[in-house]
Amino acid sequence: VGGSYSDHRRVRIQNYNIGPESDPRRDTENRHFLDELAMRSAPGAVANAEERAYAPRCLHETRTRVLNDLGEWSAAEGRWKDAKLLVLTGPAGHGKTAIMQSFSETLLRQSRETRVVVATFFFKATIPDQNQPKALVTTLAYQVAEHWPSFQDNIVSVIRDNVRILSTSLEHQMDHLLTGPIVRSHASPPSPPFVVICAVDGLDECDGDDAQSRVICLLHTLSTIPNTRVVLASRPEFPIQSVLKSGMSGMLHIDLNKDYNAAGDICQFTWVRLLEIRDKLLPSIDRVSWPRERDAEQIADHSSGQFILAETAMKYVDDRRYDPRKRLEEVLDLCGGASNLRAARRGTASRGSTRPLDVLDALFTGILERATRNTYPDWEPKRGVLELASLVWILIGLVPSRIEAASLPFPRYISLWVIEEALGRQSGDLARELSDLHSLLDVPQDIYGPNKISAHHKSFLDFLGDPGRSGHLGSIPQVAEERFNLMIKVHLSSLTVNDLKSLALTQPTKPHILHSLHLLSNPKTVIKGIDPQVWKSLLCSLNAWEALLVKQWVHLGLSQGHLLWDFRDSKMLRMMDEASKRSLHDLLPGLENQGPLDPPPISDMDIELLLATLDGQGDNSFECEHSEFIPKRRTRLDALVVFSSFLWFPAARALAWLWAPSHRLITSHSRVIQPPDTPSSHPEEPSHIVFITGSAGSGKRELLEQAYGHIPAGEEDGPLEGWMPPVDIIIVPDTDGVSLRSLWTPGAFGEGLGGVPCDNKDLMGKINLSPQLPTSLFQDWITCWKAKHKKNTYHPQFLLQGLHLLSPEHQAALLDVISSDVGQSGSTGRPPLFITVTSLPTATLAGRLRQFSWPGVYCVNLDGMKADVSILEGILPFQTHTVPQLKIHKLARILAASPKPARHLKRLIDHLDHDWKGWENRLGPILAAPESEAWRLIEEHFGEIPSDDGGR
């Protein structure tokens, strides 16, 4: 009333079936909590997801009996009508996923006109979100909420009362996010009531017997509530067999291999596919001459009731580079040879043999051997097959499994172009080497971003990894692992001092895969793989800030990555605290006495770099930069883990650690960054001074924003530090250039959504400057702050921004006051000083920095900082979900060429948030320009967005 709001009712009606009488404010709040639910789900596991656009489906007029039976069961009719939990089993390659996909799509089409709510989940062994049950409940719940308004209201109420329920056990989630809301939604049922059908496929692709057994129990619980039915499809693995023997109530088991003879369907599938291949690849031949029906019958006979052989064979035949008639002959020869061998071993060649995979394995082997002859024509055949098979295993087995084993909160990937480069291949080599394996592998044309190579069917992955099936080709997994580990070792041993420093500081490094070591290798293995002489030279070349970042890389980066911040129990702050106490000389035996124990705050080379930036033109030649960071809100601890979009996040992580209130406590309150049993006494912390320099647009503001946002406001019943802001007193030059104004931020605990208002207040009014500033200037500010502050249990953190806006005389005077204040702390009883100073490079600052020679002083120079293409490519997809990966990669290369990558990346992200509809259109001219010059167009097409929200 008396204000304005955005009316989103039309969108809500379309997507969520909420009536026109709904309250837009309630809709917005519901959307917020549903978004939280969506973030914890696995969208690619849903039947109608884009990721499943090319998933196998039942061909027309095939599998009709089982699909009809499933349709009747879903309507509580037919011979299975009494089953609440239907378990379908079948061997590898039987076509279970095609059945489940077709059944789910049929249900989804029918649900548009009925009161049936369909929720699906397809497990996938090669996809981190889909090879574990972590997102099962949330994914099912989100789908039900999308189409059942009453359920949506109930689940939103649950999440609103306790958003952390999304991080509780799956059993707790099932009770509170699915079964409970369904029961409550039926309490006042419409007529007729909603029916919930849940379809879950590929349980055997869920990692671990315990996890599979857990999923079965969860789905059984779900099936026991009224008007809810669950169908589960899987290979008959041990957990399924155990459940079948236990006899769960309301469960019915259907063995697809025994109850449905698929031979006729396989023959029909093969015949139709051969006709399609003829019309596509051989349009001018006599339509009667090829194919022959007996060819389809022969393949069906060899298939032993499993669709996977026929499907793989048809993919092999359907290759436009070869004559499909010859390819079909090869398939028939391979299958016939394997069948004859099996017959000799078993004394029978009857269909339904106990070893139906013999023929499939022979087909896999034959395809690999033929591909090797084209890929490595000069190699000895056996060696070539092992080389190709081990390359495939690296791409679809080894690398994905190591990424999964890293167990990081965010789904991570390594781009194919990065792997290709690391393997010593030229651009395009991977596509060439795998060009004859398209019948077995899905090889994307675009090798950038998260696109990956995967097996069409898990059976091929099983074949490569099982010595009992592929051992005749060599020990494929062992050879692949040895070669991959050797490749990493060679790259590490080849690093120079500058390479190693760039790697630790997240600067451009080749090969780019070294920025993904946290996903691939053990930290100790990485450290030992680097030449000790390189370590020795590095330790002698670091300043204090660089040493802090190298420690962080060793103790955090090699295990957590370079873009992750974990809020849980202040994990990152505790790890940073531990890293800061470690000596770099302890990294390797023999380095104990190498290099300075306390690296200098600033080196002669750093001073020369500052002076070189000035280019001898003096202080007044620089553009005046008035983009100070005035925080408006403190972060509230809603998310437990965040993935940063800041290029040099290790620098922001280190600055956040320096700003942590735990460094400034002066009472016996317990520290957040230490375990609960830590003794309560605190030694007096030394002063901390951080100088952040860089030309206009170099990323100073972005660095401050990132660091500030990662010290969140805590809960009122938590440690006192959750009340203290990261920065207490902000000082900026006034527009006249001869005075300073100061603001202070009162402490506050985290309450409500969207963060905690900073409520910045004036501290001491305007202070006019003179060449002779009082040495007590900062102590006067502290005294005034203490008088106004409620809880003086810690020392304040100062943030002085825009030193370059002052005259050289006033810059010098202010720096002298800081130096004097720090020099007197401790010895005179004066409390320590905690201050961060930002500035463009100035001759005055360069000349004065030498006097800050004590521990606790850090000099951060952002000029010359570059962006790594692979890191940028990892950041951008989290912001843009609709732009093709090839464009994302080119944009990453453009930003990597920019002298101001942090500012330009921030501009792009801000504009995407502000106007996402027109964003891609404005990107067009930038992508069309030469990479070396395109960054200039970012300033033109993506200018600064005016905002009254001067900070986060």
Side-chain angles (χ1 to χ4, degrees):
V1 177
S4 63
Y5 65 89
S6 298
D7 189 343
H8 293 291
R9 285 178 292 178
R10 182 170 60 86
V11 176
R12 296 294 177 247
I13 294 168
Q14 178 181 348
N15 291 339
Y16 298 101
N17 300 319
I18 298 177
E21 73 283 354
S22 64
D23 181 354
R25 287 171 295 183
R26 188 195 70 172
D27 293 350
T28 301
E29 186 180 17
N30 281 10
R31 182 71 261 160
H32 169 79
F33 289 113
L34 287 175
D35 286 345
E36 289 285 341
L37 183 64
M39 289 173 61
R40 305 301 178 93
S41 69
V46 178
N48 58 2
E50 172 60 25
E51 290 85 344
R52 298 198 59 75
Y54 302 102
R57 292 164 174 80
C58 297
L59 197 66
H60 181 60
E61 295 185 356
T62 63
R63 317 310 291 263
T64 52
R65 278 189 58 218
V66 65
L67 289 174
N68 288 337
D69 287 343
L70 282 169
E72 290 181 345
W73 167 81
S74 67
E77 300 172 353
R79 57 195 180 112
W80 301 340
K81 64 181 180 180
D82 295 329
K84 295 295 297 299
L85 173 60
L86 187 63
V87 179
L88 308 179
T89 64
H94 185 81
K96 300 179 295 298
T97 296
I99 293 171
M100 292 292 282
Q101 183 72 31
S102 297
F103 171 61
S104 298
E105 291 177 348
T106 300
L107 278 182
L108 286 168
R109 285 193 298 270
Q110 295 173 349
S111 68
R112 299 169 189 166
E113 300 176 356
T114 63
R115 303 187 75 84
V116 173
V117 179
V118 183
T120 59
F121 193 98
F122 286 76
F123 284 102
K124 188 75 172 174
T126 57
I127 301 177
D129 272 353
Q130 294 172 230
N131 62 5
Q132 53 185 324
K134 183 178 179 181
L136 173 66
V137 177
T138 51
T139 305
L140 296 175
Y142 185 81
Q143 293 171 81
V144 178
E146 278 187 305
H147 300 97
W148 188 357
S150 176
F151 178 90
Q152 182 184 119
D153 290 340
N154 274 290
I155 197 172
V156 164
S157 177
V158 171
I159 300 173
R160 182 193 298 111
D161 292 342
N162 179 18
V163 70
R164 299 196 179 183
I165 195 172
L166 302 174
S167 302
T168 59
S169 70
L170 292 176
E171 290 74 16
H172 193 78
Q173 289 183 23
M174 177 62 75
D175 187 28
H176 291 81
L177 296 179
L178 262 179
T179 59
I182 289 175
V183 170
R184 288 193 297 274
S185 299
H186 280 307
S188 302
S191 182
F194 276 91
V195 175
V196 178
I197 307 291
C198 292
V200 178
D201 177 66
L203 179 64
D204 52 279
E205 300 200 37
C206 178
D207 188 23
D209 288 355
D210 291 342
Q212 293 178 23
S213 299
R214 195 178 180 194
V215 169
I216 297 170
C217 292
L218 289 168
L219 295 179
H220 180 257
T221 299
L222 179 60
S223 71
T224 59
I225 62 176
N227 298 312
T228 302
R229 289 172 171 261
V230 180
V231 55
L232 169 66
S234 174
R235 295 186 194 178
E237 306 290 7
F238 175 76
I240 284 282
Q241 296 290 353
S242 299
V243 168
L244 296 179
K245 292 177 181 177
S246 68
M248 285 183 167
S249 61
M251 183 188 71
L252 176 64
H253 172 229
I254 303 297
D255 186 334
L256 296 172
N257 200 40
K258 293 180 179 179
D259 294 2
Y260 297 89
N261 184 356
D265 288 333
I266 295 173
C267 185
Q268 171 73 4
F269 165 83
T270 307
W271 176 245
V272 171
R273 287 287 289 118
L274 286 172
L275 293 178
E276 291 175 348
I277 293 168
R278 178 197 65 189
D279 293 343
K280 180 173 67 172
L281 301 183
L282 301 170
S284 59
I285 70 165
D286 180 1
R287 297 171 65 86
V288 178
S289 64
W290 191 89
R292 300 169 302 179
E293 287 192 29
R294 67 173 179 268
D295 295 336
E297 294 171 355
Q298 188 175 353
I299 289 176
D301 186 64
H302 293 317
S303 293
S304 301
Q306 314 311 319
F307 262 84
I308 179 61
L309 187 140
E311 182 183 358
T312 303
M314 292 304 98
K315 281 186 168 67
Y316 184 73
V317 173
D318 188 8
D319 190 325
R320 59 185 175 83
R321 297 170 304 157
Y322 300 96
D323 186 331
R325 293 167 293 190
K326 292 183 179 179
R327 300 280 273 192
L328 179 59
E329 289 177 7
E330 293 175 7
V331 167
L332 294 173
D333 288 344
L334 287 170
C335 294
S339 292
N340 293 336
L341 178 62
R342 184 177 66 196
R345 283 204 306 258
R346 302 283 180 184
T348 177
S350 62
R351 189 185 312 155
S353 163
T354 57
R355 289 190 54 112
L357 294 180
D358 283 353
V359 180
L360 181 61
D361 292 350
L363 182 59
F364 287 156
T365 300
I367 293 173
L368 283 169
E369 289 174 343
R370 282 161 173 74
T372 299
R373 288 199 290 269
N374 292 331
T375 304
Y376 309 121
D378 300 328
W379 289 39
E380 187 271 325
K382 186 172 183 180
R383 178 187 167 213
V385 171
L386 184 57
E387 171 72 16
L388 184 59
S390 61
L391 172 63
V392 171
W393 183 257
I394 287 172
L395 296 171
I396 70 174
L398 189 150
V399 171
S401 65
R402 290 197 181 183
I403 292 175
E404 181 183 353
S407 300
L408 293 179
F410 284 91
R412 299 301 302 130
Y413 61 87
I414 301 174
S415 293
L416 287 173
W417 71 268
V418 173
I419 299 175
E420 183 178 57
E421 175 194 64
L423 292 172
R425 266 71 170 178
Q426 299 296 316
S427 178
D429 278 356
L430 274 185
R432 179 186 59 79
E433 290 180 74
L434 303 177
S435 60
D436 284 323
L437 294 178
H438 287 272
S439 58
L440 304 177
L441 300 175
D442 180 10
V443 182
Q445 293 182 345
D446 184 349
I447 63 171
Y448 304 107
N451 293 338
K452 63 181 180 180
I453 296 169
S454 58
H456 286 307
H457 197 278
K458 187 173 179 288
S459 289
F460 182 54
L461 196 66
D462 295 341
F463 166 75
L464 293 176
D466 184 353
R469 296 176 60 186
S470 62
H472 58 286
L473 301 178
S475 182
I476 295 170
Q478 180 181 342
V479 170
E481 185 156 1
E482 289 173 354
R483 290 180 179 175
F484 191 80
N485 290 342
L486 178 61
M487 177 267 292
I488 294 291
K489 184 177 180 180
V490 168
H491 289 319
L492 288 173
S493 64
S494 301
L495 288 173
T496 65
V497 175
N498 289 335
D499 293 336
L500 182 54
K501 183 183 285 191
S502 294
L503 183 59
L505 303 185
T506 59
Q507 293 296 285
T509 307
K510 287 188 177 182
H512 294 85
I513 202 168
L514 294 176
H515 283 301
S516 299
L517 289 172
H518 61 289
L519 300 173
L520 300 172
S521 300
N522 180 281
K524 292 183 179 179
T525 302
V526 173
I527 293 169
K528 291 181 179 179
I530 299 169
D531 187 344
Q533 290 302 314
V534 171
W535 274 120
K536 176 181 176 180
S537 299
L538 177 70
L539 300 185
C540 295
S541 68
L542 301 174
N543 64 30
W545 175 255
E546 292 168 342
L548 180 60
L549 293 188
V550 171
K551 289 181 181 181
Q552 180 186 183
W553 178 70
V554 169
H555 297 292
L556 275 82
L558 290 178
S559 59
Q560 304 295 314
H562 36 256
L563 295 171
L564 196 69
W565 184 268
D566 194 333
F567 287 107
R568 293 172 294 187
D569 299 321
S570 299
K571 179 179 178 179
M572 287 297 176
L573 291 179
R574 288 189 288 108
M575 293 181 73
M576 280 293 300
D577 202 48
E578 180 182 350
S580 69
K581 296 173 183 176
R582 299 284 297 274
S583 170
L584 287 173
H585 304 88
D586 297 333
L587 291 174
L588 284 175
L591 292 180
E592 293 85 353
N593 300 315
Q594 305 295 336
L597 289 175
D598 293 313
I602 190 164
S603 66
D604 292 339
M605 185 177 296
D606 297 323
I607 297 293
E608 291 175 7
L609 180 59
L610 278 175
L611 293 173
T613 306
L614 291 169
D615 199 25
Q617 299 180 36
D619 293 9
N620 296 326
S621 66
F622 288 95
E623 168 191 348
C624 285
E625 186 182 52
H626 288 277
S627 58
E628 66 267 8
F629 166 62
I630 308 295
K632 298 297 183 183
R633 289 186 174 275
R634 290 182 60 194
T635 305
R636 183 176 180 269
L637 190 54
D638 289 326
L640 298 178
V641 183
V642 296
F643 186 80
S644 175
S645 61
F646 184 57
L647 290 171
W648 311 307
F649 184 60
R653 196 156 54 185
L655 184 58
W657 173 74
L658 290 169
W659 281 358
S662 55
H663 292 132
R664 300 178 271 126
L665 286 174
I666 56 177
T667 71
S668 60
H669 292 284
S670 62
R671 293 186 174 202
V672 168
I673 63 172
Q674 292 188 357
D677 58 353
T678 300
S680 60
S681 59
H682 301 298
E684 190 73 38
E685 290 279 0
S687 297
H688 281 168
I689 305 177
V690 183
F691 292 100
I692 303 175
T693 62
S695 303
S698 60
K700 298 185 293 299
R701 178 189 171 94
E702 289 77 14
L703 174 59
L704 297 177
E705 286 183 0
Q706 285 286 319
Y708 193 93
H710 288 88
I711 305 292
E715 302 291 341
E716 191 161 2
D717 58 353
L720 182 62
E721 287 188 52
W723 181 78
M724 306 172 191
V727 173
D728 302 275
I729 303 173
I730 298 175
I731 304 167
V732 293
D734 213 339
T735 54
D736 56 17
V738 295
S739 60
L740 299 173
R741 56 191 177 94
S742 55
L743 300 171
W744 70 285
T745 301
F749 286 112
E751 296 177 358
L753 297 173
V756 182
C758 287
D759 192 22
N760 299 314
K761 302 176 183 294
D762 181 76
L763 184 59
M764 288 180 60
K766 183 184 294 187
I767 294 181
N768 293 318
L769 299 175
S770 66
Q772 298 296 325
L773 290 175
T775 57
S776 62
L777 178 62
F778 286 94
Q779 296 304 316
D780 293 341
W781 269 317
I782 292 174
T783 300
C784 183
W785 173 78
K786 286 183 176 180
K788 296 183 177 185
H789 213 255
K790 293 180 180 179
K791 302 175 182 178
N792 297 314
T793 57
Y794 66 103
H795 301 293
Q797 172 73 50
F798 286 89
L799 175 57
L800 169 58
Q801 299 184 70
L803 181 72
H804 60 276
L805 297 174
L806 303 176
S807 68
E809 293 80 9
H810 291 149
Q811 291 180 39
L814 201 53
L815 291 170
D816 287 341
V817 170
I818 295 174
S819 177
S820 174
D821 199 308
V822 175
Q824 296 181 51
S825 65
S827 60
T828 63
R830 182 176 289 191
L833 180 65
F834 301 92
I835 184 169
T836 298
V837 180
T838 71
S839 177
L840 295 180
T842 72
T844 303
L845 179 60
R848 282 294 198 280
L849 280 178
R850 295 183 187 277
Q851 70 190 45
F852 293 90
S853 58
W854 47 83
V857 178
Y858 302 92
C859 296
V860 185
N861 187 356
L862 297 181
D863 281 324
M865 295 283 282
K866 294 292 185 180
D868 185 86
V869 174
S870 63
I871 294 177
L872 278 164
E873 194 180 69
I875 291 173
L876 287 167
F878 279 86
Q879 315 298 328
T880 60
H881 304 290
T882 60
V883 180
Q885 291 301 324
L886 183 60
K887 290 185 177 181
I888 290 291
H889 179 73
K890 183 164 186 181
L891 183 58
R893 293 177 65 89
I894 289 169
L895 287 168
S898 167
K900 304 172 183 178
R903 180 163 84 172
H904 290 156
L905 176 61
K906 183 70 162 54
R907 289 273 182 90
L908 289 168
I909 293 174
D910 287 347
H911 277 267
L912 181 64
D913 293 339
H914 183 70
D915 178 23
W916 62 270
K917 290 183 178 179
W919 188 84
E920 190 172 352
N921 291 334
R922 279 182 288 157
L923 202 61
I926 297 171
L927 295 176
E931 289 180 5
S932 59
E933 298 295 325
W935 61 267
R936 301 179 188 277
L937 297 178
I938 297 177
E939 298 278 354
E940 178 181 338
H941 293 276
F942 295 91
E944 188 166 357
I945 299 175
S947 173
D948 58 358
D949 190 23
R952 280 178 63 98

